[in-house]
Amino acid sequence: MRFAVWAPERTRVLVRLDSGDHPMSRDDGGWWHASLPDAPGDVDYAFLLDDDPTPLPDPRSARQPNGVHGPSRRYDHAAFEWSDHGWTGRALPGSVVYELHIGTFTEAGTFDAAVERLDHLVDLGVDLVEVMPVNSFDGVAGWGYDGVLWGAVHEPYGGPTAFKRLVDACHARGLGVVLDVVYNHLGPSGAYLDRFGPYFAGRNDWGPGLNLDGAGSDEVRRYVVDNALGWFRDFHVDGLRLDAVHALVDRRATHLLEELSAEVDALSAGLRRPLTLIAESDLNDPAVVTAREAGGRGIAAQWSDDLHHSLHVALTGEKQGYYADFAAPGALPATLRGVFFHAGTWSSFRGRTHGRKVDTARIPGHRFLAYLQTHDQVGNRAAGDRISALVSPDRQLCAAAIVLCSPYTPMLFMGEEWAAGTPWQFFASFPDPALAEAVRTGRRREFGEHGWGEAEVPDPMDPATFLRSKLNWAELAEPRHREVHELYRELIALRRSRSELADPRLDRFVVDADEHPWLVLHRGALRVVCNLGDTEARVPLDREPHEVLLASASVELAPAAVTLPAASFAVLDTEPDPAD
């Protein structure tokens, strides 16, 4: 057995096994090594640094069966028998993404239980399943963004082998898998990296940030890159969603994102299947998704919160906080046309100008994810209320039509497709009472500053908060939920059958709008007409509508117009059927 750990600032490192403590030898790069006789079965181990008697888990641990404070366990990736040998991957352009959280997607909250629901996603028409973080974090229940051992799969979900079963099952059904990973900070419990070496540099809003550009940062960057490549290579995932890349502080000539995208492209060539990086970025900077050859970071796509915010305000009328700017007249059509609402313009929430324009003639729409809901936009509301708790099903379906018929990559949040009645709230389960109380009071204070009373903020440490957030799959049998689900299915099926609806060329994308309010999306010969108003609307068209391909209510066609009931949409074909 061989053991290795990077600890450049330590004078002595031991590896602890059941057989005792064994000395390790240091090389010139600060890596410590030990070769020991093989032992049968799984082997637990930990490291002892200098004279500190505390055994610490391996920063590159592949398994933590006893939690983030316990010893690491060796794991043989080659032992798993994959059945996806014919899998050629799933490209992002043209795909529909579905975000889910393992712990609340099913009642059991495990990888194996999620496998039992994959056929629902296939029937819905999903292409890529985006799984929220599965790295090890302290406690049983949590969102996953407080991970501290990035290569070890959370044991309460089933551990690494069960995660492989989920990925394998997805591939068997033609579904790609995108995994959410967090490289911008570490969680508050179990983050021992700084005891090994200069991993940390400063803090951000969520915890200690990584040393990406200071002394010793070469190995820290390698730590990130190797972790990312490991998910692709060892777990066969098809993409990574990179959490909050704007919090990565890197002043080196080659930014970590550029380095990572180059490494992933090289691995993609070797594996002969597309591997995708999707960033969450608050920068509103198109350089993130601009090709490296053109001087950009080379990331395949990014989430676009401006699209969400403008759509949310148009639906709900909410204007507090960062929603205020998006209440401006014409914000929704302007954002649909240009991707970023804040594009070198004033942001009242930030108190400064923000962002840069997207060159819509050069950058395709599939590089931006459009969504009505995400874990952030639901879970970071005080009560975790979904859009279905704020607006009628009819209005939600109008927004779904805009998202699914846009030139952007559509993403759904689990349960959205049937207007789930369950909330999705912020929950955690830190065993340390002091940390638990700090999270509890911090959450209440944060929302109190935004006008919510303490009684309105669920206790994130109460197990009931976690249980309330689980999807109720029985709702699908209820007529109201079933009708919403069926229209989501039909919208996705129409997007697949009519290539115009997935056309990512932003310079050909036209949006007509009126203060009524209604919108018309020009998608080739198709027109997607949405009446977001509270009364019937007669919407003028630039071409004569010949056929209603899909509608949420009865509509009336006229030579150059269509009349829609309040809160309804219709997808119209303006070219006559050649067979007629």
Side-chain angles (χ1 to χ4, degrees):
M1 296 183 295
R2 294 183 177 181
F3 296 90
V5 65
W6 186 61
E9 300 169 351
R10 298 301 176 182
T11 58
R12 185 181 69 156
V13 178
L14 304 176
V15 57
R16 173 170 290 180
L17 292 88
D18 288 342
S19 59
D21 297 343
H22 304 272
M24 305 182 75
S25 59
R26 186 188 191 279
D27 66 19
D28 293 339
W31 281 86
W32 296 78
H33 304 269
S35 294
L36 304 172
D38 286 344
D42 297 329
V43 175
D44 288 356
Y45 67 100
F47 295 112
L48 296 162
L49 307 178
D50 291 339
D51 296 324
D52 189 339
T54 307
L56 300 176
D58 186 352
R60 293 183 176 233
S61 173
R63 193 171 181 199
Q64 291 294 126
N66 298 304
V68 298
H69 303 290
S72 301
R73 179 170 294 175
R74 293 176 70 92
Y75 180 79
D76 183 8
H77 283 291
F80 185 79
E81 295 185 7
W82 291 94
S83 66
D84 66 348
H85 308 296
W87 176 250
T88 57
R90 179 72 65 217
L92 184 67
S95 290
V96 174
V97 183
Y98 186 97
E99 186 191 22
L100 63 84
H101 175 267
I102 291 296
T104 53
F105 184 56
T106 65
E107 183 64 30
T110 64
F111 295 122
D112 289 334
V115 170
E116 299 174 5
R117 294 295 183 181
L118 292 181
D119 290 339
H120 166 82
L121 302 185
V122 174
D123 178 69
L124 180 61
V126 168
D127 301 289
L128 291 165
V129 180
E130 181 175 310
V131 181
M132 288 174 61
V134 302
N135 54 195
S136 292
F137 59 86
D138 197 14
V140 174
W143 282 17
Y145 296 94
D146 284 326
V148 290
L149 290 166
W150 293 340
V153 176
H154 194 50
E155 288 290 329
Y157 293 162
T161 300
F163 182 46
K164 290 181 178 182
R165 286 197 295 268
L166 172 62
V167 176
D168 204 39
C170 284
H171 290 172
R173 292 164 173 80
L175 298 170
V177 178
V178 176
L179 177 64
D180 201 337
V181 292
V182 185
Y183 297 136
N184 59 69
H185 78 285
L186 284 95
S189 181
Y192 299 117
L193 289 184
D194 60 332
R195 301 193 190 183
F196 288 87
Y199 280 94
F200 294 166
R203 297 182 62 85
N204 54 41
D205 291 342
W206 309 290
L210 287 192
N211 167 27
L212 298 177
D213 54 15
S217 61
D218 284 357
E219 286 292 351
V220 178
R221 294 164 75 96
R222 196 69 239 172
Y223 179 65
V224 173
V225 171
D226 286 349
N227 178 262
L229 298 182
W231 292 116
F232 288 120
R233 183 184 56 248
D234 299 327
F235 289 91
H236 291 204
V237 303
D238 304 280
L240 296 177
R241 182 263 190 186
L242 309 173
D243 181 67
V245 300
H246 51 271
L248 296 170
V249 178
D250 184 3
R251 293 162 294 187
R252 291 170 66 154
T254 301
H255 193 278
L256 176 67
L257 293 181
E258 184 181 348
E259 180 180 346
L260 181 58
S261 71
E263 293 266 8
V264 170
D265 284 351
L267 181 61
S268 176
L271 296 178
R272 300 174 62 196
R273 60 184 175 93
L275 304 177
T276 301
L277 294 176
I278 302 171
E280 179 198 19
S281 174
D282 187 48
L283 300 174
N284 278 23
D285 185 356
V288 173
V289 295
T290 298
R292 296 190 309 277
E293 300 91 326
R297 305 295 193 208
I299 303 300
Q302 72 159 79
W303 283 23
S304 184
D305 275 353
D306 280 17
L307 288 168
H308 166 271
H309 297 345
S310 59
L311 192 55
H312 184 90
V313 172
L315 289 177
T316 67
E318 291 185 354
K319 301 177 183 178
Q320 74 275 21
Y322 52 72
Y323 287 138
D325 289 352
F326 298 89
L332 177 55
T335 309
L336 282 169
R337 296 184 193 108
V339 187
F340 297 148
F341 180 76
H342 292 124
T345 54
W346 178 257
S347 167
S348 64
F349 178 72
R350 299 176 178 89
R352 58 172 175 81
T353 55
H354 183 68
R356 178 186 293 179
K357 286 185 178 180
V358 173
D359 185 346
T360 56
R362 297 174 61 232
I363 299 180
H366 64 67
R367 294 187 185 171
F368 303 95
L369 271 65
Y371 36 82
L372 176 57
Q373 301 179 92
T374 70
H375 75 272
D376 271 330
Q377 302 304 336
V378 177
N380 284 326
R381 296 176 65 84
D385 38 354
R386 295 169 176 267
I387 196 70
S388 53
L390 305 175
V391 301
S392 68
D394 291 336
R395 292 182 70 78
Q396 177 180 335
L397 286 168
C398 285
I402 293 171
V403 168
L404 288 164
C405 297
S406 76
Y408 306 106
T409 297
M411 184 176 74
L412 313 179
F413 181 58
M414 63 177 196
E416 173 188 335
E417 72 274 20
W418 74 75
T422 50
W424 202 76
Q425 300 173 335
F426 178 74
F427 49 84
S429 57
F430 294 116
D432 180 0
L435 177 57
E437 183 59 28
V439 171
R440 182 183 293 115
T441 57
R443 190 75 175 173
R444 288 172 175 166
R445 185 183 307 113
E446 176 186 356
F447 282 104
E449 293 172 354
H450 290 84
W452 276 285
E454 286 196 9
E456 298 178 78
V457 183
D459 179 358
M461 309 308 298
D462 185 347
T465 303
F466 168 58
L467 295 175
R468 274 194 303 271
S469 299
K470 288 180 178 284
L471 287 177
N472 177 12
W473 287 85
E475 289 180 335
L476 270 169
E478 301 174 14
R480 179 175 64 90
H481 293 289
R482 193 167 58 245
E483 290 169 6
V484 172
H485 175 248
E486 186 58 27
L487 268 171
Y488 266 83
R489 284 182 70 251
E490 291 177 345
L491 276 166
I492 295 173
L494 186 60
R495 180 182 175 88
R496 281 186 170 182
S497 66
R498 295 299 297 259
S499 61
E500 305 100 306
L501 294 177
D503 186 343
R505 291 173 292 184
L506 294 174
D507 56 343
R508 300 192 179 191
F509 181 46
V510 176
V511 181
D512 296 330
D514 183 82
E515 294 181 3
H516 177 72
W518 51 255
L519 292 171
V520 181
L521 312 186
H522 293 227
R523 309 297 282 135
L526 307 186
R527 297 293 179 266
V528 182
V529 189
C530 296
N531 178 10
L532 298 176
D534 297 324
T535 59
E536 180 181 273
R538 180 179 174 84
V539 180
L541 301 172
D542 63 316
R543 301 171 66 165
E544 182 176 353
H546 286 274
E547 181 183 2
V548 178
L549 300 180
L550 182 64
S552 60
S554 297
V555 302
E556 180 182 337
L557 301 183
V562 59
T563 300
L564 293 87
S568 66
F569 77 86
V571 182
L572 310 175
D573 194 345
T574 65
E575 289 185 347
D577 189 331
D580 292 344

